[in-house]
Coordinates of all heavy atoms in Angstrom, one line a residue:
M1 N -104.9 -65.9 -97.5 CA -105.4 -65.2 -98.7 C -104.5 -64.0 -98.9 O -104.1 -63.3 -98.0 CB -106.9 -64.8 -98.5 CG -107.5 -64.5 -99.8 SD -109.2 -63.9 -99.5 CE -109.0 -62.2 -99.3
A2 N -104.2 -63.7 -100.2 CA -103.4 -62.6 -100.5 C -104.1 -61.3 -100.2 O -105.3 -61.2 -100.4 CB -103.0 -62.6 -102.0
L3 N -103.4 -60.3 -99.8 CA -104.0 -59.0 -99.5 C -104.2 -58.2 -100.9 O -103.5 -58.5 -101.8 CB -103.1 -58.1 -98.6 CG -102.8 -58.8 -97.2 CD1 -101.8 -58.0 -96.5 CD2 -104.1 -58.8 -96.4
K4 N -105.1 -57.3 -100.9 CA -105.4 -56.5 -102.1 C -104.1 -55.9 -102.7 O -103.9 -56.0 -103.9 CB -106.5 -55.4 -101.8 CG -107.0 -54.7 -103.0 CD -108.3 -54.0 -102.6 CE -108.9 -53.2 -103.8 NZ -108.1 -52.0 -104.1
H5 N -103.3 -55.2 -101.9 CA -102.2 -54.6 -102.4 C -101.1 -55.6 -102.9 O -100.4 -55.2 -103.8 CB -101.5 -53.6 -101.4 CG -100.9 -54.3 -100.2 ND1 -101.5 -54.5 -99.0 CD2 -99.6 -54.8 -100.1 CE1 -100.7 -55.2 -98.2 NE2 -99.5 -55.3 -98.8
E6 N -101.2 -56.8 -102.4 CA -100.2 -57.8 -102.9 C -100.7 -58.2 -104.4 O -99.8 -58.3 -105.3 CB -100.2 -59.0 -102.1 CG -99.6 -58.8 -100.7 CD -99.8 -60.0 -99.8 OE1 -100.7 -60.8 -100.0 OE2 -99.0 -60.1 -98.9
L7 N -102.0 -58.4 -104.5 CA -102.5 -58.7 -105.9 C -102.2 -57.6 -106.9 O -101.8 -57.9 -108.0 CB -104.0 -59.0 -105.8 CG -104.5 -60.2 -105.0 CD1 -106.0 -60.2 -104.8 CD2 -104.0 -61.4 -105.6
E8 N -102.4 -56.4 -106.4 CA -102.2 -55.2 -107.3 C -100.8 -55.0 -107.7 O -100.4 -54.6 -108.8 CB -102.9 -54.0 -106.7 CG -104.4 -54.0 -106.8 CD -105.1 -52.9 -106.0 OE1 -104.4 -52.2 -105.2 OE2 -106.3 -52.8 -106.1
S9 N -99.9 -55.2 -106.7 CA -98.5 -54.9 -107.0 C -97.7 -56.1 -107.5 O -96.6 -56.0 -108.0 CB -97.8 -54.5 -105.7 OG -97.8 -55.6 -104.7
G10 N -98.4 -57.3 -107.5 CA -97.7 -58.5 -108.0 C -96.7 -59.1 -107.0 O -96.0 -60.0 -107.3
T11 N -96.7 -58.5 -105.8 CA -95.7 -59.0 -104.8 C -96.4 -60.0 -103.9 O -97.7 -59.9 -103.7 CB -95.1 -57.9 -104.0 OG1 -96.1 -57.3 -103.3 CG2 -94.4 -56.9 -104.9
T12 N -95.7 -60.8 -103.2 CA -96.3 -61.6 -102.1 C -95.5 -61.3 -100.8 O -94.3 -61.4 -100.8 CB -96.1 -63.1 -102.4 OG1 -96.7 -63.4 -103.7 CG2 -96.8 -64.0 -101.4
L13 N -96.3 -60.8 -99.9 CA -95.7 -60.5 -98.6 C -95.9 -61.7 -97.6 O -97.0 -62.3 -97.7 CB -96.3 -59.3 -98.0 CG -96.1 -58.0 -98.8 CD1 -96.9 -56.8 -98.1 CD2 -94.7 -57.7 -99.1
A14 N -94.9 -62.0 -96.8 CA -95.1 -63.0 -95.8 C -96.0 -62.4 -94.7 O -95.8 -61.3 -94.2 CB -93.8 -63.4 -95.2
H15 N -97.0 -63.1 -94.3 CA -97.8 -62.7 -93.1 C -97.9 -63.9 -92.2 O -98.9 -64.7 -92.2 CB -99.1 -62.1 -93.4 CG -99.8 -62.6 -94.6 ND1 -100.6 -63.8 -94.5 CD2 -99.9 -62.2 -95.9 CE1 -101.1 -64.0 -95.7 NE2 -100.7 -63.1 -96.6
P16 N -96.9 -64.2 -91.4 CA -96.9 -65.4 -90.6 C -98.0 -65.4 -89.6 O -98.5 -64.3 -89.2 CB -95.5 -65.4 -89.9 CG -95.1 -64.0 -90.0 CD -95.7 -63.4 -91.2
K17 N -98.5 -66.6 -89.2 CA -99.5 -66.7 -88.2 C -99.1 -66.1 -86.9 O -98.0 -66.0 -86.6 CB -99.8 -68.2 -87.9 CG -100.5 -69.0 -89.0 CD -100.7 -70.4 -88.5 CE -101.2 -71.3 -89.7 NZ -101.0 -72.7 -89.3
Q18 N -100.1 -65.6 -86.2 CA -99.9 -64.9 -84.9 C -100.4 -65.9 -83.8 O -101.4 -66.7 -84.1 CB -100.6 -63.6 -84.9 CG -100.1 -62.6 -85.9 CD -98.8 -62.0 -85.5 OE1 -98.7 -61.2 -84.6 NE2 -97.8 -62.3 -86.3
Y19 N -99.8 -65.8 -82.7 CA -100.2 -66.6 -81.6 C -100.5 -65.8 -80.3 O -99.8 -64.9 -80.0 CB -99.1 -67.6 -81.3 CG -98.9 -68.6 -82.4 CD1 -98.3 -68.3 -83.6 CD2 -99.6 -69.9 -82.3 CE1 -98.2 -69.2 -84.6 CE2 -99.5 -70.7 -83.4 CZ -98.8 -70.4 -84.5 OH -98.8 -71.2 -85.6
K20 N -101.6 -66.1 -79.7 CA -102.0 -65.5 -78.4 C -101.3 -66.1 -77.3 O -101.3 -67.4 -77.2 CB -103.5 -65.6 -78.2 CG -104.4 -64.9 -79.3 CD -105.9 -65.2 -78.9 CE -106.8 -64.7 -80.0 NZ -108.2 -65.1 -79.8
V21 N -100.8 -65.3 -76.4 CA -100.2 -65.9 -75.1 C -101.2 -65.5 -74.0 O -101.5 -64.3 -73.8 CB -98.8 -65.3 -74.9 CG1 -98.3 -65.9 -73.5 CG2 -97.9 -65.7 -76.0
F22 N -101.6 -66.5 -73.2 CA -102.5 -66.4 -72.0 C -101.7 -66.8 -70.8 O -101.0 -67.7 -70.8 CB -103.7 -67.3 -72.1 CG -104.6 -67.0 -73.2 CD1 -104.5 -67.6 -74.5 CD2 -105.7 -66.1 -73.1 CE1 -105.4 -67.4 -75.5 CE2 -106.6 -65.8 -74.1 CZ -106.4 -66.5 -75.3
L23 N -102.0 -66.1 -69.7 CA -101.5 -66.5 -68.4 C -102.7 -67.3 -67.8 O -103.9 -66.9 -68.0 CB -101.2 -65.3 -67.5 CG -99.8 -64.7 -67.5 CD1 -99.8 -63.5 -66.5 CD2 -98.7 -65.7 -67.3
L24 N -102.4 -68.3 -67.0 CA -103.4 -69.1 -66.3 C -103.4 -68.9 -64.8 O -102.3 -68.6 -64.2 CB -103.1 -70.6 -66.5 CG -103.0 -71.1 -68.0 CD1 -102.7 -72.6 -68.1 CD2 -104.3 -70.7 -68.8
N25 N -104.6 -68.9 -64.2 CA -104.7 -68.7 -62.8 C -104.2 -69.9 -62.0 O -104.2 -71.1 -62.6 CB -106.1 -68.4 -62.4 CG -106.3 -68.0 -61.0 OD1 -105.4 -67.3 -60.5 ND2 -107.4 -68.3 -60.3
D26 N -103.8 -69.7 -60.8 CA -103.5 -70.8 -59.8 C -103.7 -70.2 -58.5 O -104.0 -69.0 -58.3 CB -102.1 -71.4 -60.0 CG -101.0 -70.3 -59.7 OD1 -100.9 -70.0 -58.5 OD2 -100.4 -69.8 -60.6
D27 N -103.6 -71.0 -57.4 CA -103.9 -70.6 -56.1 C -102.7 -70.1 -55.3 O -102.8 -69.6 -54.2 CB -104.6 -71.7 -55.3 CG -106.0 -72.0 -55.8 OD1 -106.6 -71.2 -56.4 OD2 -106.5 -73.1 -55.5
Y28 N -101.5 -70.2 -55.9 CA -100.3 -70.0 -55.1 C -99.4 -68.8 -55.6 O -98.7 -68.2 -54.7 CB -99.4 -71.3 -55.2 CG -100.2 -72.5 -54.7 CD1 -100.7 -73.4 -55.6 CD2 -100.5 -72.7 -53.3 CE1 -101.5 -74.5 -55.2 CE2 -101.2 -73.7 -52.9 CZ -101.7 -74.7 -53.8 OH -102.4 -75.7 -53.4
T29 N -99.5 -68.5 -56.8 CA -98.6 -67.4 -57.3 C -99.1 -66.1 -56.7 O -100.3 -65.8 -56.7 CB -98.6 -67.3 -58.9 OG1 -98.2 -68.6 -59.4 CG2 -97.7 -66.3 -59.4
S30 N -98.2 -65.2 -56.3 CA -98.7 -63.9 -55.7 C -99.1 -63.0 -56.8 O -98.6 -63.0 -57.9 CB -97.5 -63.3 -54.8 OG -96.6 -62.8 -55.7
M31 N -100.1 -62.2 -56.4 CA -100.6 -61.2 -57.4 C -99.4 -60.2 -57.8 O -99.3 -59.9 -59.0 CB -101.7 -60.4 -56.7 CG -103.0 -61.2 -56.6 SD -104.3 -60.2 -55.9 CE -105.7 -61.4 -56.1
D32 N -98.6 -59.8 -56.9 CA -97.5 -58.9 -57.2 C -96.5 -59.6 -58.2 O -96.0 -58.9 -59.1 CB -96.6 -58.6 -55.9 CG -97.3 -57.6 -55.1 OD1 -98.4 -57.0 -55.5 OD2 -96.8 -57.4 -53.9
F33 N -96.3 -60.9 -58.1 CA -95.4 -61.5 -59.0 C -96.0 -61.5 -60.4 O -95.3 -61.3 -61.4 CB -95.1 -63.0 -58.6 CG -94.1 -63.7 -59.5 CD1 -92.7 -63.3 -59.5 CD2 -94.5 -64.6 -60.4 CE1 -91.8 -64.0 -60.3 CE2 -93.6 -65.3 -61.2 CZ -92.3 -64.9 -61.2
V34 N -97.3 -61.8 -60.5 CA -98.0 -61.8 -61.8 C -97.9 -60.4 -62.5 O -97.6 -60.3 -63.7 CB -99.4 -62.3 -61.7 CG1 -100.1 -62.2 -63.0 CG2 -99.5 -63.7 -61.1
V35 N -98.1 -59.4 -61.7 CA -98.0 -58.0 -62.2 C -96.6 -57.8 -62.7 O -96.4 -57.2 -63.8 CB -98.4 -57.0 -61.1 CG1 -98.1 -55.6 -61.6 CG2 -99.9 -57.1 -60.9
D36 N -95.6 -58.2 -61.9 CA -94.2 -58.0 -62.4 C -93.9 -58.7 -63.7 O -93.2 -58.2 -64.5 CB -93.2 -58.6 -61.3 CG -93.1 -57.7 -60.1 OD1 -93.6 -56.6 -60.1 OD2 -92.6 -58.2 -59.0
I37 N -94.4 -59.9 -63.9 CA -94.3 -60.7 -65.1 C -94.9 -59.9 -66.3 O -94.3 -59.8 -67.4 CB -94.9 -62.1 -65.0 CG1 -94.1 -63.0 -64.1 CG2 -95.2 -62.8 -66.3 CD1 -92.8 -63.6 -64.7
L38 N -96.1 -59.4 -66.0 CA -96.8 -58.7 -67.1 C -96.0 -57.4 -67.5 O -96.0 -57.1 -68.7 CB -98.2 -58.4 -66.7 CG -99.1 -59.6 -66.8 CD1 -100.4 -59.5 -65.9 CD2 -99.6 -59.9 -68.2
I39 N -95.4 -56.8 -66.6 CA -94.6 -55.6 -66.9 C -93.3 -56.0 -67.6 O -92.9 -55.5 -68.6 CB -94.4 -54.8 -65.6 CG1 -95.7 -54.2 -65.1 CG2 -93.3 -53.7 -65.9 CD1 -95.6 -53.5 -63.7
G40 N -92.6 -57.0 -67.0 CA -91.3 -57.3 -67.4 C -91.2 -58.2 -68.7 O -90.4 -57.9 -69.6
V41 N -92.1 -59.1 -68.8 CA -92.1 -60.0 -70.0 C -93.0 -59.5 -71.1 O -92.7 -59.6 -72.3 CB -92.5 -61.5 -69.6 CG1 -92.6 -62.4 -70.8 CG2 -91.5 -62.0 -68.6
F42 N -94.2 -59.0 -70.7 CA -95.2 -58.6 -71.7 C -95.3 -57.1 -72.0 O -96.1 -56.6 -72.7 CB -96.6 -59.2 -71.4 CG -96.6 -60.7 -71.4 CD1 -96.4 -61.4 -70.2 CD2 -96.7 -61.4 -72.5 CE1 -96.4 -62.8 -70.2 CE2 -96.6 -62.8 -72.6 CZ -96.5 -63.5 -71.4
R43 N -94.4 -56.3 -71.3 CA -94.2 -54.9 -71.6 C -95.5 -54.1 -71.3 O -95.7 -53.0 -72.0 CB -93.7 -54.6 -73.0 CG -92.6 -55.5 -73.5 CD -91.4 -55.7 -72.5 NE -90.6 -54.5 -72.2 CZ -89.7 -54.5 -71.3 NH1 -89.4 -55.6 -70.6 NH2 -89.1 -53.4 -71.0
K44 N -96.3 -54.5 -70.3 CA -97.5 -53.7 -70.0 C -97.1 -52.6 -69.0 O -96.1 -52.8 -68.2 CB -98.5 -54.6 -69.3 CG -98.9 -55.8 -70.2 CD -99.5 -55.4 -71.5 CE -99.9 -56.7 -72.3 NZ -100.4 -56.3 -73.6
N45 N -97.9 -51.6 -68.9 CA -97.7 -50.6 -67.8 C -98.4 -51.2 -66.5 O -99.1 -52.2 -66.6 CB -98.2 -49.2 -68.2 CG -99.7 -49.1 -68.4 OD1 -100.5 -49.7 -67.8 ND2 -100.0 -48.3 -69.4
F46 N -98.2 -50.5 -65.4 CA -98.7 -51.1 -64.2 C -100.2 -51.2 -64.2 O -100.8 -52.2 -63.8 CB -98.3 -50.2 -63.0 CG -98.9 -50.7 -61.7 CD1 -98.2 -51.8 -61.0 CD2 -100.1 -50.2 -61.2 CE1 -98.8 -52.3 -59.8 CE2 -100.6 -50.8 -60.0 CZ -100.0 -51.8 -59.3
H47 N -100.9 -50.2 -64.8 CA -102.4 -50.2 -64.8 C -102.9 -51.4 -65.7 O -103.8 -52.2 -65.2 CB -102.8 -48.9 -65.4 CG -104.3 -48.8 -65.5 ND1 -105.1 -48.4 -64.4 CD2 -105.2 -48.9 -66.5 CE1 -106.4 -48.4 -64.8 NE2 -106.5 -48.7 -66.0
E48 N -102.3 -51.6 -66.9 CA -102.7 -52.7 -67.7 C -102.4 -54.0 -67.0 O -103.2 -55.0 -67.1 CB -101.9 -52.7 -69.0 CG -102.2 -51.5 -70.0 CD -101.2 -51.4 -71.1 OE1 -100.0 -51.7 -70.9 OE2 -101.6 -51.0 -72.2
A49 N -101.2 -54.1 -66.4 CA -100.7 -55.3 -65.8 C -101.7 -55.8 -64.7 O -102.1 -56.9 -64.5 CB -99.3 -55.2 -65.3
H50 N -102.1 -54.8 -63.9 CA -103.0 -55.1 -62.8 C -104.3 -55.6 -63.3 O -104.9 -56.5 -62.7 CB -103.1 -53.8 -61.9 CG -103.8 -54.2 -60.6 ND1 -105.2 -54.1 -60.4 CD2 -103.3 -54.6 -59.4 CE1 -105.4 -54.5 -59.2 NE2 -104.3 -54.8 -58.5
A51 N -104.8 -54.9 -64.4 CA -106.1 -55.3 -64.9 C -106.1 -56.7 -65.5 O -107.0 -57.5 -65.3 CB -106.6 -54.3 -66.0
I52 N -105.0 -57.1 -66.2 CA -104.9 -58.4 -66.7 C -104.8 -59.5 -65.6 O -105.4 -60.5 -65.7 CB -103.7 -58.5 -67.7 CG1 -104.0 -57.6 -68.9 CG2 -103.5 -60.0 -68.2 CD1 -102.7 -57.4 -69.8
M53 N -103.9 -59.1 -64.6 CA -103.8 -60.1 -63.5 C -105.1 -60.3 -62.8 O -105.4 -61.5 -62.5 CB -102.8 -59.5 -62.5 CG -102.5 -60.3 -61.3 SD -103.8 -60.2 -60.0 CE -103.6 -58.5 -59.5
M54 N -105.9 -59.3 -62.6 CA -107.3 -59.5 -62.0 C -108.2 -60.3 -62.9 O -109.0 -61.1 -62.4 CB -107.9 -58.1 -61.6 CG -107.3 -57.5 -60.4 SD -107.2 -58.5 -59.0 CE -108.9 -58.8 -58.6
E55 N -108.1 -60.1 -64.2 CA -108.9 -60.9 -65.1 C -108.5 -62.4 -65.0 O -109.4 -63.3 -65.0 CB -108.8 -60.4 -66.5 CG -109.6 -61.2 -67.5 CD -109.7 -60.6 -68.9 OE1 -109.3 -59.5 -69.1 OE2 -110.3 -61.3 -69.8
V56 N -107.3 -62.7 -65.0 CA -106.8 -64.1 -64.8 C -107.3 -64.6 -63.5 O -107.9 -65.7 -63.4 CB -105.3 -64.2 -64.9 CG1 -104.8 -65.6 -64.7 CG2 -104.7 -63.6 -66.2
H57 N -107.1 -63.9 -62.4 CA -107.5 -64.3 -61.1 C -109.0 -64.6 -61.0 O -109.5 -65.6 -60.4 CB -107.2 -63.2 -60.1 CG -107.6 -63.5 -58.7 ND1 -107.0 -64.5 -57.9 CD2 -108.5 -62.8 -57.9 CE1 -107.6 -64.5 -56.7 NE2 -108.5 -63.5 -56.7
Q58 N -109.9 -63.8 -61.7 CA -111.3 -63.9 -61.6 C -111.9 -64.9 -62.7 O -112.9 -65.6 -62.4 CB -112.0 -62.6 -61.8 CG -111.8 -61.7 -60.6 CD -112.1 -60.2 -60.8 OE1 -112.4 -59.8 -61.9 NE2 -112.0 -59.4 -59.7
K59 N -111.3 -64.9 -63.9 CA -111.9 -65.7 -65.0 C -111.1 -67.0 -65.3 O -111.5 -67.8 -66.2 CB -112.0 -64.9 -66.2 CG -113.0 -63.7 -66.0 CD -113.2 -62.9 -67.3 CE -114.1 -61.7 -67.1 NZ -114.0 -60.8 -68.2
G60 N -109.9 -67.1 -64.8 CA -109.1 -68.4 -65.0 C -108.0 -68.2 -66.0 O -107.0 -68.9 -66.0
R61 N -108.1 -67.3 -67.0 CA -107.0 -67.0 -67.9 C -107.2 -65.6 -68.4 O -108.3 -65.0 -68.4 CB -106.9 -68.0 -69.0 CG -108.0 -67.9 -70.0 CD -107.7 -69.0 -71.1 NE -108.4 -68.7 -72.3 CZ -108.2 -69.4 -73.4 NH1 -107.4 -70.4 -73.5 NH2 -108.8 -69.0 -74.5
G62 N -106.1 -65.0 -69.0 CA -106.2 -63.7 -69.5 C -105.2 -63.5 -70.6 O -104.1 -64.1 -70.6
L63 N -105.6 -62.7 -71.6 CA -104.7 -62.5 -72.8 C -103.6 -61.5 -72.5 O -103.9 -60.4 -72.0 CB -105.5 -62.0 -74.0 CG -104.8 -61.7 -75.3 CD1 -104.2 -63.0 -75.9 CD2 -105.7 -61.0 -76.3
C64 N -102.3 -61.9 -72.7 CA -101.2 -61.0 -72.4 C -100.6 -60.4 -73.7 O -99.9 -59.4 -73.6 CB -100.1 -61.9 -71.8 SG -100.6 -62.8 -70.3
G65 N -100.8 -61.0 -74.8 CA -100.3 -60.4 -76.1 C -100.4 -61.4 -77.2 O -100.8 -62.5 -77.0
V66 N -100.2 -60.9 -78.4 CA -100.3 -61.7 -79.7 C -99.0 -61.4 -80.4 O -98.5 -60.3 -80.6 CB -101.5 -61.2 -80.5 CG1 -101.6 -62.1 -81.8 CG2 -102.8 -61.3 -79.7
Y67 N -98.3 -62.5 -80.8 CA -96.9 -62.5 -81.3 C -96.7 -63.5 -82.4 O -97.4 -64.6 -82.4 CB -95.9 -62.7 -80.2 CG -96.1 -61.9 -79.0 CD1 -96.8 -62.5 -77.9 CD2 -95.6 -60.7 -78.8 CE1 -97.0 -61.7 -76.7 CE2 -95.8 -59.9 -77.7 CZ -96.5 -60.4 -76.6 OH -96.7 -59.7 -75.5
P68 N -95.7 -63.4 -83.2 CA -95.3 -64.5 -84.1 C -94.8 -65.7 -83.2 O -94.4 -65.5 -82.1 CB -94.1 -63.9 -84.8 CG -94.2 -62.5 -84.7 CD -94.9 -62.2 -83.4
Y69 N -94.9 -66.9 -83.8 CA -94.7 -68.1 -83.0 C -93.4 -68.1 -82.1 O -93.5 -68.4 -80.9 CB -94.6 -69.4 -83.9 CG -94.6 -70.6 -83.1 CD1 -95.7 -71.1 -82.5 CD2 -93.3 -71.3 -82.9 CE1 -95.6 -72.3 -81.7 CE2 -93.3 -72.4 -82.2 CZ -94.4 -72.9 -81.6 OH -94.3 -74.0 -80.8
E70 N -92.3 -67.7 -82.7 CA -91.0 -67.8 -81.9 C -91.0 -66.9 -80.7 O -90.4 -67.2 -79.7 CB -89.8 -67.6 -82.8 CG -89.6 -68.9 -83.6 CD -88.6 -68.8 -84.7 OE1 -87.8 -67.8 -84.8 OE2 -88.7 -69.7 -85.6
I71 N -91.6 -65.7 -80.9 CA -91.7 -64.7 -79.8 C -92.7 -65.2 -78.7 O -92.3 -65.2 -77.5 CB -92.2 -63.3 -80.3 CG1 -91.3 -62.8 -81.5 CG2 -92.2 -62.3 -79.2 CD1 -89.9 -62.5 -81.2
A72 N -93.8 -65.7 -79.2 CA -94.8 -66.3 -78.2 C -94.2 -67.4 -77.4 O -94.4 -67.4 -76.2 CB -96.0 -66.7 -79.0
E73 N -93.5 -68.3 -78.1 CA -92.9 -69.4 -77.4 C -91.9 -69.0 -76.4 O -91.8 -69.5 -75.3 CB -92.3 -70.3 -78.5 CG -91.8 -71.7 -78.1 CD -91.0 -72.3 -79.2 OE1 -90.3 -71.6 -79.9 OE2 -91.2 -73.5 -79.4
M74 N -91.1 -68.0 -76.7 CA -90.1 -67.5 -75.8 C -90.7 -66.8 -74.6 O -90.2 -67.0 -73.5 CB -89.2 -66.4 -76.6 CG -88.1 -65.9 -75.7 SD -86.9 -64.9 -76.8 CE -88.1 -63.6 -77.3
K75 N -91.8 -66.1 -74.8 CA -92.5 -65.5 -73.6 C -93.0 -66.6 -72.7 O -92.9 -66.5 -71.4 CB -93.7 -64.6 -74.1 CG -93.2 -63.6 -75.1 CD -93.4 -62.2 -74.6 CE -93.0 -61.2 -75.6 NZ -92.1 -60.1 -75.0
V76 N -93.6 -67.7 -73.3 CA -94.1 -68.8 -72.5 C -93.0 -69.4 -71.7 O -93.1 -69.7 -70.5 CB -94.8 -69.9 -73.4 CG1 -95.1 -71.2 -72.6 CG2 -96.1 -69.3 -74.0
Y77 N -91.8 -69.6 -72.3 CA -90.7 -70.2 -71.7 C -90.2 -69.3 -70.5 O -89.9 -69.7 -69.4 CB -89.6 -70.4 -72.7 CG -88.3 -71.0 -72.1 CD1 -88.3 -72.4 -71.8 CD2 -87.3 -70.2 -71.6 CE1 -87.1 -72.9 -71.2 CE2 -86.2 -70.8 -71.0 CZ -86.1 -72.1 -70.8 OH -85.0 -72.7 -70.2
Q78 N -90.1 -68.0 -70.8 CA -89.6 -67.0 -69.8 C -90.5 -67.0 -68.6 O -90.0 -67.0 -67.4 CB -89.6 -65.6 -70.4 CG -88.4 -65.3 -71.3 CD -88.5 -64.0 -72.0 OE1 -89.5 -63.4 -72.1 NE2 -87.3 -63.6 -72.6
V79 N -91.8 -67.1 -68.8 CA -92.8 -67.1 -67.6 C -92.5 -68.4 -66.8 O -92.4 -68.3 -65.6 CB -94.3 -67.1 -68.1 CG1 -95.2 -67.4 -66.9 CG2 -94.6 -65.8 -68.8
G80 N -92.4 -69.5 -67.4 CA -92.1 -70.8 -66.7 C -90.8 -70.7 -66.0 O -90.7 -71.1 -64.8
A81 N -89.8 -70.2 -66.6 CA -88.4 -70.2 -66.0 C -88.4 -69.2 -64.8 O -87.9 -69.6 -63.7 CB -87.4 -69.7 -67.0
M82 N -89.0 -68.0 -64.9 CA -89.0 -67.0 -63.8 C -89.9 -67.5 -62.7 O -89.6 -67.3 -61.5 CB -89.5 -65.7 -64.3 CG -88.4 -65.0 -65.3 SD -89.1 -63.6 -66.2 CE -89.1 -62.4 -64.9
A83 N -91.0 -68.2 -63.0 CA -91.9 -68.7 -62.0 C -91.2 -69.8 -61.2 O -91.2 -69.8 -59.9 CB -93.2 -69.3 -62.6
R84 N -90.5 -70.7 -61.9 CA -89.8 -71.8 -61.2 C -88.7 -71.2 -60.3 O -88.6 -71.6 -59.1 CB -89.2 -72.7 -62.2 CG -88.9 -74.1 -61.7 CD -88.6 -75.1 -62.8 NE -89.1 -74.8 -64.1 CZ -88.3 -74.3 -65.1 NH1 -87.0 -74.1 -65.0 NH2 -88.9 -74.1 -66.3
E85 N -88.0 -70.2 -60.8 CA -86.9 -69.6 -60.0 C -87.4 -69.0 -58.7 O -86.7 -68.9 -57.7 CB -86.2 -68.5 -60.8 CG -85.2 -68.9 -61.8 CD -84.8 -67.8 -62.8 OE1 -85.0 -66.6 -62.4 OE2 -84.3 -68.2 -63.9
N86 N -88.7 -68.5 -58.8 CA -89.3 -67.9 -57.6 C -90.2 -68.8 -56.8 O -90.9 -68.3 -55.9 CB -90.0 -66.6 -58.1 CG -89.1 -65.5 -58.5 OD1 -88.6 -64.8 -57.6 ND2 -88.7 -65.4 -59.7
G87 N -90.3 -70.1 -57.2 CA -91.1 -71.0 -56.4 C -92.6 -71.0 -56.6 O -93.3 -71.4 -55.8
F88 N -93.0 -70.4 -57.8 CA -94.4 -70.3 -58.1 C -94.8 -71.2 -59.3 O -94.0 -71.4 -60.2 CB -94.8 -68.8 -58.5 CG -94.7 -67.8 -57.4 CD1 -93.9 -66.7 -57.5 CD2 -95.4 -68.0 -56.2 CE1 -93.9 -65.7 -56.5 CE2 -95.3 -67.1 -55.2 CZ -94.6 -65.9 -55.3
P89 N -96.0 -71.7 -59.3 CA -96.5 -72.6 -60.3 C -97.0 -71.9 -61.6 O -97.6 -72.5 -62.5 CB -97.5 -73.5 -59.6 CG -98.2 -72.5 -58.7 CD -97.0 -71.6 -58.2
L90 N -96.9 -70.6 -61.6 CA -97.5 -69.8 -62.7 C -97.1 -70.3 -64.1 O -96.0 -70.7 -64.3 CB -97.0 -68.3 -62.6 CG -97.5 -67.4 -63.7 CD1 -99.0 -67.2 -63.6 CD2 -96.8 -66.0 -63.6
K91 N -98.1 -70.4 -65.0 CA -97.9 -71.0 -66.3 C -98.6 -70.1 -67.3 O -99.6 -69.5 -67.1 CB -98.6 -72.3 -66.3 CG -98.1 -73.3 -67.2 CD -98.7 -74.7 -67.0 CE -99.2 -75.4 -68.3 NZ -98.2 -75.4 -69.4
A92 N -97.9 -70.0 -68.5 CA -98.5 -69.3 -69.7 C -98.7 -70.4 -70.8 O -97.9 -71.4 -70.8 CB -97.6 -68.2 -70.1
I93 N -99.7 -70.2 -71.6 CA -99.9 -71.1 -72.8 C -100.0 -70.2 -74.0 O -100.3 -69.0 -73.9 CB -101.1 -71.9 -72.6 CG1 -102.4 -71.0 -72.4 CG2 -101.0 -72.9 -71.5 CD1 -103.7 -71.8 -72.5
L94 N -99.9 -70.8 -75.2 CA -100.1 -70.1 -76.4 C -101.2 -70.8 -77.2 O -101.4 -72.0 -77.1 CB -98.8 -69.8 -77.2 CG -98.0 -71.0 -77.7 CD1 -98.5 -71.5 -79.0 CD2 -96.6 -70.4 -77.9
E95 N -101.8 -70.0 -78.1 CA -102.9 -70.5 -78.9 C -102.9 -69.8 -80.2 O -102.6 -68.6 -80.2 CB -104.2 -70.1 -78.1 CG -105.5 -70.8 -78.6 CD -106.6 -70.4 -77.6 OE1 -106.8 -71.1 -76.6 OE2 -107.3 -69.5 -77.9
E96 N -103.2 -70.5 -81.3 CA -103.2 -69.8 -82.6 C -104.2 -68.6 -82.6 O -105.3 -68.9 -82.2 CB -103.5 -70.8 -83.7 CG -103.0 -70.4 -85.1 CD -103.3 -71.4 -86.1 OE1 -103.0 -72.6 -85.9 OE2 -103.9 -71.0 -87.2
A97 N -103.8 -67.5 -83.1 CA -104.7 -66.3 -83.1 C -105.8 -66.4 -84.1 O -105.6 -67.1 -85.1 CB -104.0 -65.0 -83.2
Ligands
LIG1 N1 -105.0 -66.5 -57.8 C1 -103.7 -65.9 -57.3 C2 -103.9 -65.5 -55.9 O1 -105.0 -65.4 -55.4 C3 -103.2 -64.7 -58.2 C4 -102.9 -65.0 -59.6 C5 -103.4 -64.2 -60.6 C6 -102.2 -66.2 -59.9 C7 -103.0 -64.5 -61.9 C8 -101.9 -66.5 -61.2 O2 -102.0 -65.9 -63.6 C9 -102.3 -65.6 -62.2 N2 -102.8 -65.2 -55.2

């Protein structure tokens, strides 16, 4: 739906869909590695990263950020690649926001 200012100004602004990126829990990835991923890939500070990691650990998944599709997809890919390089099964998924 067009925004009010778009209707009033006669312009159409692009507002691409946003995608949520979630980390998934597993039994093997170290807590420290998940915190490092949240800081390095999702730009969280240590406090936020630790809280998200614990939420994933306790609830099964946790929201890491909301991005345009191409950015969300790249973050999912980076998590998978860094996890594989470090021998962990850690996985991220995306979902339409
Ligand atoms: N459950 C893992 C452990 O006990 C920690 C963990 C947290 C793994 C978050 C993945 O996305 C994850 N070592």
Side-chain angles (χ1 to χ4, degrees):
M1 199 181 88
L3 299 172
K4 186 164 184 285
H5 71 265
E6 292 174 337
L7 294 171
E8 285 170 351
S9 65
T11 62
T12 305
L13 300 177
H15 37 81
K17 284 183 194 164
Q18 297 285 291
Y19 292 80
K20 297 177 185 172
V21 178
F22 293 93
L23 275 180
L24 302 181
N25 191 33
D26 66 72
D27 292 339
Y28 305 102
T29 305
S30 75
M31 291 183 170
D32 283 352
F33 183 75
V34 177
V35 170
D36 287 348
I37 287 283
L38 284 159
I39 293 170
V41 176
F42 296 99
R43 317 313 296 173
K44 305 300 179 186
N45 63 39
F46 179 82
H47 182 80
E48 293 168 327
H50 193 267
I52 295 169
M53 181 280 293
M54 286 308 295
E55 179 167 354
V56 179
H57 178 67
Q58 289 164 356
K59 298 186 183 166
R61 71 179 204 170
L63 181 62
C64 304
V66 181
Y67 310 95
Y69 185 78
E70 281 166 21
I71 306 291
E73 193 188 35
M74 184 171 59
K75 306 244 181 226
V76 167
Y77 180 82
Q78 284 172 343
V79 170
M82 290 168 75
R84 202 168 338 104
E85 281 167 19
N86 287 275
F88 291 127
L90 180 66
K91 208 171 132 51
I93 57 166
L94 60 82
E95 194 174 273
E96 201 178 312

